[in-house]
Every structure is written in C-alpha cells, then in structure tokens.
C-alpha cells in the first residue's frame, strides 16, 4: 500500500495512472462504505474533508436519527476512560496546555525510540512471521514450539486466541499446537502480531482513570483490528494484513499518553482535554508504528488517519474504530442502540465474518498437527 502520488503519468501495479488510480480506488471504497461522493477540498474552517464539527449531531438521511459525528465519538470515548471529566464546555487549563505542548514537542523531537514507554517487540518475531508465511516447511507442532520458546509471548498468544474478537469456537483453546491447527498459519500470523503488541496495554493506571474502562481498551483495539482486516479483505486483500496492523496499533499512542498523565496536576480533565488528547494520540500511534518498524503501508494508514485524510486505508481504519468505540458508548448508555445501528451501517458486514467463523467455518488453510 503506497501513498497517493500527485504526479501525472505515474503508473501503479493496478495499471491505472495516478491520480486516476487513487480516485478510482477511493470512489469504490466510499461507495462500499456508504460515504457518498468525496468532498473536493477542506472546508473553510480548517476541518479535514469528511469531518464535521464536534458536538453537531446530524440526522442520517435514510433514518432521520441524529448521531454524533466522528470527532464527538472520539471525545466521548476518551472521556469514558476518566473517573471524572468536566462536560460543561470548560476550556483547557494552563497546565493542560503546557502538558499538551510538552508532548507535542516530545513527538517532534523523538528520533528512534520511546524508551520505556513502549514495550520492545520479541526478538523471535521476525522468525515467527517468516514461519507463518511458509506452512509447507513448518508444521503446527514446530510453530508451537517456536512460540513456546518465549513464555510471555506464549501466554499472550493463548489470551488472544481465546479473546472474543479472535475466538473460533465456544470451547477454550488450551494449547499452542491446538491454536495453530484451529487458526491456520495466516490466522496465527495475526494472532502473533496481536500477542506481541498487547503488553502495551498493561500499565499502572493513574488514579484519575477508570481502571475497568482502561482494561477494555485492548479488547476494543483487537475488535477494531479484526474489523479493519475483514473490511480490507473485501476490497484490497493484498493490503489486509498491513491495515490489520494499523488497527492493532491505532490505540498505542493513547496508551502511551495515558501512562504520562502522572505529570499533569489537574484533578480532572477539562471539557476540551479528551478531544485534544485523542487527536495527539493518533499522531503518537503512527510514531509508535514507526518505532516498531512496521510496514510502510501500516504507518501510512495511521499517518493519514491522524491527519484526517480521506484515503482508502484511513477511511476503513476510521470506520472500524468509530464502530467499535460507538459500541462501547452504547454499552455505557452514552449513545442509544438506535444511534449505534445507524453508525455501524457505515461499515457493511461489521462482525459478520467473525460470527461465520464461530459458526464452524474454519480458515481455508486449516491444517493438521503434522
């Protein structure tokens, strides 16, 4: 997945020249997502295309049901992570402005590492990724033994396999070899990627945060990653894994910044702070993906999502994240079930692929232990 080029005459593998190829792919994706025609340019108020003003619910033309816009969903979601948050329209405090300025500067100055804020990926990850791409030379038992060589990774793999987003059957999977047989090699590639990233969600939460809500952030992240993968598999299968990694990484910046709240003195956040935090967190997520040396397509999708750009990768990532976060907000009563259904119509087939797999449709590459 490459960044769009604006030079005329440049031909991509699809056989379409840029920008014609990019416009064709974008139009196809927008039709599939039900987003209508793409706007020609950013609005005069500086908002990127496709992003309405926060706190301005608009009625869907087909249903007449007013739903929060994407910016509001993002802010409401981050607000829900705090035990207390002002909702009276209060402006940023001076300490919040300084904290945000400091972390923006830190992002601009970061070169190759986030130090102790981001867990290191296991040294065995490249070897494991290579093994999952070559099932003819690696048996299920051999792959299981490779994973077992790292006990922490092995435990995380089983947690991911048995998670609601990944679970293939009602019974728990209790061995790595069984996991490989059930998931198949491409499935294990996704599981291993998730298991290596999941430690970023483990940290001592600030007392101002709701510990129960924070524990759900990783579950929501994994759900969004699966939704991105399933959506991309329908329109651009070659990009599905890179976009899946973008889904897995999209909340990494948020978790990094939540770890840093101890340096903020305010007892509770102002009304504006959650939205500002979420916007900055998107940029941090792209930086974390670079730090982890993730594929170019993954980093580009995260960069474009952070910038509010209406590209195919960013559009499907944003739609999946909004759908999952809206589900969490519906569970807490922040939005209604009717509003949730309207929002989820933006991502046709949301959750259907996962339900089909649970109903007994094993991966096409399901394998035996030998």
């Amino acid at each position: 997945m490459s960044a769009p080029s604006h030079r005329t005459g440049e031909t991509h593998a699809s056989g379409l020249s840029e920008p014609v190829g990019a416009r064709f792919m974008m139009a196809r994706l927008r039709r599939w997502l039900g987003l209508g025609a793409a706007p020609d340019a950013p609005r005069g108020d500086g908002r990127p295309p496709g992003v309405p003003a926060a706190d301005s619910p608009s009625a869907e033309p087909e249903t007449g049901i007013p739903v929060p816009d994407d910016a509001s969903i993002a802010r409401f979601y981050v607000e829900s992570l705090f035990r207390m948050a002002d909702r009276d329209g209060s402006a940023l405090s001076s300490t919040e402005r300084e904290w945000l300025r400091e972390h923006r500067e830190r992002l601009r100055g970061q070169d190759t590492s986030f130090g102790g804020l981001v867990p290191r990926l296991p040294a065995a990850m490249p070897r494991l990724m290579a093994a999952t791409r070559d099932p003819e030379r690696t048996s299920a038992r051999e792959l299981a033994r490779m994973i077992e060589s790292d006990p922490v990774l092995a435990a995380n793999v089983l947690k991911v396999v048995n998670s609601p987003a990944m679970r293939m059957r009602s019974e728990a999977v209790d061995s790595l070899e069984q996991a490989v047989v059930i998931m198949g090699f491409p499935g294990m590639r996704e599981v291993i990627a998730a298991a290596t990233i999941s430690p970023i969600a483990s940290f001592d939460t600030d007392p101002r945060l709701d510990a129960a809500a924070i524990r759900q952030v990783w579950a929501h992240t994994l759900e969004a990653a699966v939704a991105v993968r399933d959506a991309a598999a329908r329109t651009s299968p070659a990009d599905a894994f890179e976009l899946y990694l973008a889904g897995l990484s999209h909340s990494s910046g948020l978790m990094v910044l939540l770890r840093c709240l101890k340096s903020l003195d305010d007892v509770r956040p102002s009304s504006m702070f959650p939205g500002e935090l979420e916007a900055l967190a998107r940029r941090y997520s792209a930086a974390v993906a670079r730090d982890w040396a993730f594929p170019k397509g993954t980093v580009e999708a995260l960069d474009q999502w952070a910038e509010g750009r209406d590209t195919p990768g960013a559009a499907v990532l944003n739609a999946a994240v909004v759908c999952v976060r809206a589900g969490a907000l519906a569970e807490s009563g922040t939005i209604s079930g009717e509003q949730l259904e309207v929002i989820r119509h933006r991502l046709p087939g949301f959750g259907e692929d996962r339900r089909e797999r649970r109903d007994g449709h094993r991966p096409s590459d399901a394998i035996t232990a030998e």
Side-chain angles (χ1 to χ4, degrees):
M1 194 168 65
S2 58
S5 169
H6 299 288
R7 291 173 295 178
T8 57
E10 183 178 346
T11 303
H12 285 224
S14 63
L16 296 171
S17 62
E18 286 288 333
V20 176
R23 288 200 300 267
F24 172 80
M25 289 296 294
M26 191 65 238
R28 183 174 71 170
L29 183 66
R30 292 188 67 83
R31 286 197 301 271
W32 180 75
L33 290 174
L35 298 178
D40 294 328
R43 296 185 177 94
D45 58 8
R47 283 179 280 128
V51 179
D55 297 327
S56 57
S58 57
E60 291 290 319
E62 294 182 1
T63 66
I65 298 173
V67 295
D69 57 63
D70 293 357
S72 295
I73 291 290
R75 181 169 62 80
F76 294 159
Y77 181 79
V78 175
E79 273 184 3
S80 73
L81 303 180
F82 288 86
R83 291 182 183 275
M84 297 183 297
D86 281 336
R87 295 180 175 85
D88 56 1
S90 58
L92 291 171
S93 69
S94 59
T95 52
E96 286 175 334
R97 288 195 298 270
E98 177 59 26
W99 188 91
L100 289 166
R101 185 200 63 76
E102 175 186 332
H103 286 85
R104 290 186 185 111
E105 290 296 326
R106 181 177 187 175
L107 183 62
R108 281 193 283 268
Q110 79 94 14
D111 46 353
T112 59
S113 175
F114 282 92
L117 294 176
V118 177
R120 297 295 88 201
L121 299 184
M125 189 176 179
R127 187 163 57 97
L128 289 167
M129 291 289 103
T132 59
R133 288 192 292 265
D134 193 7
E136 294 183 0
R137 299 183 60 181
T138 308
S139 68
R141 184 169 292 116
E142 290 169 337
L143 181 58
R145 286 173 179 166
M146 291 170 67
I147 298 170
E148 287 170 349
S149 66
D150 185 328
V152 174
L153 176 62
N156 287 335
V157 162
L158 288 178
K159 286 181 183 178
V160 171
V161 168
N162 288 303
S163 67
M166 286 286 194
R167 187 180 299 148
M168 298 281 290
R169 60 182 196 172
S170 57
E171 301 87 0
V173 175
D174 54 15
S175 76
L176 291 170
E177 191 171 324
Q178 183 185 28
V180 179
V181 171
I182 291 171
M183 300 298 295
F185 273 71
M188 285 304 296
R189 186 184 183 203
E190 296 168 359
V191 167
I192 292 167
T196 59
I197 294 172
S198 63
I200 198 172
S202 300
F203 60 95
D204 294 330
T205 59
D206 187 279
R208 290 164 291 189
L209 296 173
D210 184 325
I214 293 297
R215 283 194 294 271
Q216 290 301 309
V217 173
W218 173 247
H220 298 154
T221 300
L222 190 53
E223 185 181 0
V226 171
V228 171
R229 178 203 64 196
D230 291 343
R234 294 188 182 96
T235 57
S236 184
D239 297 331
F241 185 70
E242 290 187 355
L243 289 176
Y244 168 76
L245 288 179
L248 284 179
S249 309
H250 85 269
S251 64
S252 59
L254 178 60
M255 288 183 274
V256 164
L257 290 174
L258 291 177
R259 291 169 186 246
C260 299
L261 283 177
K262 58 182 178 292
S263 63
L264 179 64
D265 294 332
D266 294 47
V267 175
R268 64 181 182 178
S270 66
S271 295
M272 289 187 63
F273 184 72
E276 295 286 339
L277 175 64
E278 201 276 340
L280 181 59
R282 295 186 184 204
R283 295 169 54 198
Y284 265 76
S285 293
V288 169
R290 285 192 191 87
D291 189 60
W292 280 335
F294 275 0
K296 180 181 178 182
T298 298
V299 177
E300 286 180 348
L302 289 165
D303 272 332
Q304 292 158 1
W305 179 58
E307 295 164 4
R309 294 176 59 189
D310 214 3
T311 60
V316 73
L317 174 61
N318 187 65
V321 171
V322 168
C323 284
V324 171
R325 289 179 170 180
L329 294 173
E331 287 183 7
S332 68
T334 305
I335 66 173
S336 70
E338 288 183 335
Q339 289 175 313
L340 174 62
E341 289 305 311
V342 172
I343 291 169
R344 284 188 168 173
H345 272 60
R346 293 176 48 184
L347 195 63
F350 179 82
E352 290 179 4
D353 300 278
R354 191 158 63 252
R355 286 191 290 273
E356 288 178 2
R357 289 194 294 273
R358 288 180 189 172
D359 289 339
H361 299 280
R362 284 156 54 105
S364 59
D365 68 315
I367 56 177
T368 61
E370 295 301 326

